[in-house]
Amino acid sequence: MKKKSTYTHTKDITRLSLFIAIALTIFVLENQIPIPIAGVKLGLANIVTLYLIHQYSVKEALFVLIVRIFLGSIFAGQMISFAYSLVGGLLSLGVMWLANKLQKGDNIWFTSVLGGIFHNIGQIIVAIILLGSINVIYYLSILGVCGIITGLFNGLIVQIFIKSINNINKKI
């Protein structure tokens, strides 16, 4: 088995740290945006997760996601949101990774829409467990529509960003 050089290892840690910082910054800024529907967020920090799945690996995306959710919960002072975000994020990550594999990287926007929907399904699962009631399942229709809209928006951002980077790399 070939060992990574110290330079490569340091480069990987630095890259992951930068992605964590970007995702956390987006998360903190997004928390300042008032949304009139309870439990709904734009999910802009998921742009980083989707980008990592597409351009790097699910392993790196998972690491950044978990650290971002943990630190974001601490920064927001809402550790109860940790469970909602973690389950939703992990379910979303798994579905986006699978969709990305099946589509071979095409239609990133669709992968993101699936991620948005499944993130909300994960949140409803946590709500059912924590509240001990299935009655919250009705809220899935509202969250589902929001997940489609925000997933489409975030996915298009990533798709346009990756296309732009690829065009720049072709010119270099």
Side-chain angles (χ1 to χ4, degrees), residues 12-170:
D12 291 342
I13 291 170
T14 303
R15 182 179 62 243
L16 288 174
S17 298
L18 287 171
F19 281 120
I20 290 167
I22 291 167
L24 265 174
T25 301
I26 292 170
F27 173 82
V28 169
L29 292 173
E30 181 183 354
N31 269 351
Q32 304 307 309
I33 301 170
I35 305 287
I37 304 169
V40 173
K41 291 179 65 177
L42 300 175
L44 298 174
N46 293 321
I47 290 170
V48 176
T49 304
L50 184 59
Y51 179 79
L52 287 169
I53 290 170
H54 192 272
Q55 294 297 104
Y56 292 97
S57 73
V58 71
K59 185 173 112 177
E60 290 177 323
L62 176 64
F63 180 75
V64 171
L65 176 77
I66 290 172
V67 172
R68 189 241 325 150
I69 289 171
F70 178 72
L71 293 176
S73 296
I74 291 172
F75 291 169
Q78 300 173 348
M79 285 309 287
I80 189 69
S81 68
F82 177 76
Y84 290 96
S85 296
L86 185 63
V87 173
L90 292 174
L91 190 55
S92 174
L93 175 69
V95 168
M96 290 192 303
W97 173 75
L98 183 60
N100 190 58
K101 284 281 189 200
L102 294 174
Q103 296 182 80
K104 297 180 180 30
D106 297 333
N107 299 319
I108 298 169
W109 64 268
F110 182 71
T111 300
S112 183
V113 167
L114 289 175
I117 293 167
F118 277 87
H119 189 281
N120 293 329
I121 290 171
Q123 289 181 315
I124 292 295
I125 291 169
V126 171
I128 290 169
I129 292 168
L130 292 179
L131 299 174
S133 172
I134 192 110
N135 292 337
V136 294
I137 202 149
Y138 76 91
Y139 204 54
L140 189 56
S141 59
I142 295 167
L143 290 179
V145 170
C146 293
I148 291 169
I149 294 167
T150 59
L152 178 62
F153 178 76
N154 293 340
L156 287 173
I157 288 174
V158 174
Q159 196 162 318
I160 290 166
F161 183 72
I162 289 173
K163 185 176 180 182
S164 298
I165 287 176
N166 288 342
N167 287 337
I168 289 169
N169 286 338
K170 286 178 187 175

